[in-house]
Amino acid sequence: MSGLHHIPGLLIMALCHVTVIYHMLEHKFTKRKFALCSCLYTVSFVCMGEYFYASEGVIAVLIYLGIAVCLFLFFCVISKECFPKKCFLFLTYFGLFTIIDNSLKLMAELLLPQLSAPVRQYLVIVLRTAVVLLMLALYKRYAAPMIHSLADNKKGRWWNLALIALLFYLLQAAVTFLNAESRMSKVYILIAFVAISFVMLAVYGAVFSNISYMKKDAEAELIRQNAEYFSGRLSVLQNAEDANRRLRHDMRHHIDTIAAYAKTGDNSAILAYIGEYGNEISGMAVKQYSVNRTVNSILSVYADRAEENGIGFSVRCNVTKELKVREIDLTALLGNLLENALHGCQESGKENKSIEIHIRLQSKRLIILCNNTCPDSLELADGLPAKKSIGISSILSVCRKYDGNLDYQIENETCSACAVLNL
């Protein structure tokens, strides 16, 4: 099979790769940009694939490596994951794709020798595409929620997982080389691929068990943050209760003072004293920012911290009493946004510092916009701070968990962070 007859098969393979990448990764581009990148990748893939079929020997091997590098670059350009996580996902997919491809080719040669080479090749292409899409569906159903919910800051663990994926890829690549050089019979090669597949499934069971542990570790960190925020809220309420207790204790003295003014008929003094007393009570009252208990607690804590640091703090909140977001996730998201905003104001060195937080529900989406004074040195990369802290990773983790997004912008010495959750 030669010439233009390979192009339909190459197109199907390229579209299969694009479909998997679209659903497998957290891509950082709009659909239009993704489509443009996909077209460029498809053209490059088809051209290199056509050249691969026309070559042999060392040249063919180099072209094959070029095709793999092209796919990896497409992974890197599209995905917003950390680099070791990209490596793990790419090696897992590419290794699995290669095993499926080689196994189906061997089965077709052994079981259907009467078919012509072109028919057999396109049969393999159709079956391979069906199997890959089935694996993608299983991944989206069982593995993707777990992987996407993890923060990217545990890079050491992702490197370990990427190394495991690389070892399996090298193992199946060695078997592929033996098959290409006819060093073993087709039956033994097929058995080797099946054995590699079963071992790979067993090891990846352990891998996803490790990923599950990573998820629990991340949730433990969120629980710790939760405890800190509510501890701060408890302190605020305790201070308010102490103030109210003192006011109740002093009530008798206030009544005696008002009674003394009444005996002398000094109404203006009575009104002035009552006004002063009312202002004192208002200043000690705990401000209600939201009907949602969790949101109100976090806002109250950071309102007090902002006041202590001389930072203006304003809130516009329009949410319901109950939200379809776990308290632990809402605390991690809103708490880290405000924590970063507070640090940004403190590090800005500006005289007038402020934090504005807008929270609203819109078409089953929770939208949180946080504006704060920021230092001039703050830089963004791909819509996020160039130096991502653990707090940013935690916010990203929550946004991805609810199929949302996070975007940062800087304008007029103000950093704006917009987090959106789909409820």
Side-chain angles (χ1 to χ4, degrees), residues 301-363:
V301 170
Y302 280 94
D304 285 351
R305 290 182 61 182
E307 183 178 359
E308 291 172 1
N309 289 275
I311 300 172
F313 192 85
S314 62
V315 176
R316 288 170 56 188
C317 183
N318 183 19
V319 296
T320 56
K321 188 175 182 179
E322 299 294 334
L323 292 172
K324 294 181 180 179
V325 183
R326 292 197 313 166
E327 284 192 5
I328 188 173
D329 295 328
L330 187 56
T331 300
L333 174 62
L334 185 55
N336 277 302
L337 279 174
L338 289 170
E339 184 75 25
N340 292 340
L342 190 66
H343 288 317
C345 287
Q346 292 171 333
E347 296 170 3
S348 68
K350 308 259 186 339
E351 183 176 352
N352 297 319
K353 302 180 288 289
S354 65
I355 298 175
E356 297 178 1
I357 186 81
H358 306 271
I359 309 173
R360 71 179 188 274
L361 279 174
Q362 180 178 321
S363 302

Side-chain angles (χ1 to χ4, degrees), residues 173-184 189:
V175 177
T176 302
F177 174 77
L178 292 175
N179 180 43
E181 295 295 318
S182 300
R183 302 289 180 87
M184 296 173 61
I189 292 291

Side-chain angles (χ1 to χ4, degrees), residues 5 35 140 195 209 211 215 219 313 373:
H5 299 292
K140 284 180 64 69
S209 176
I211 291 176
K215 182 180 180 182
E219 289 197 345
F313 192 85
T373 308

Side-chain angles (χ1 to χ4, degrees), residues 26 145-152 218-219 221-223 225 324-337 366 368 390-406 419-423:
E26 290 288 323
M146 182 185 301
I147 291 179
H148 291 165
S149 66
L150 295 175
D152 291 349
E219 289 197 345
E221 176 64 18
L222 297 186
I223 291 173
Q225 292 176 346
K324 294 181 180 179
V325 183
R326 292 197 313 166
E327 284 192 5
I328 188 173
D329 295 328
L330 187 56
T331 300
L333 174 62
L334 185 55
N336 277 302
L337 279 174
L366 178 63
I368 302 177
I390 294 178
I392 297 293
S393 297
S394 183
I395 297 170
L396 270 174
S397 176
V398 175
C399 290
R400 291 171 180 173
K401 184 175 182 179
Y402 291 88
D403 296 324
N405 57 70
L406 175 66
V420 180
L421 304 184
N422 290 297
L423 308 183

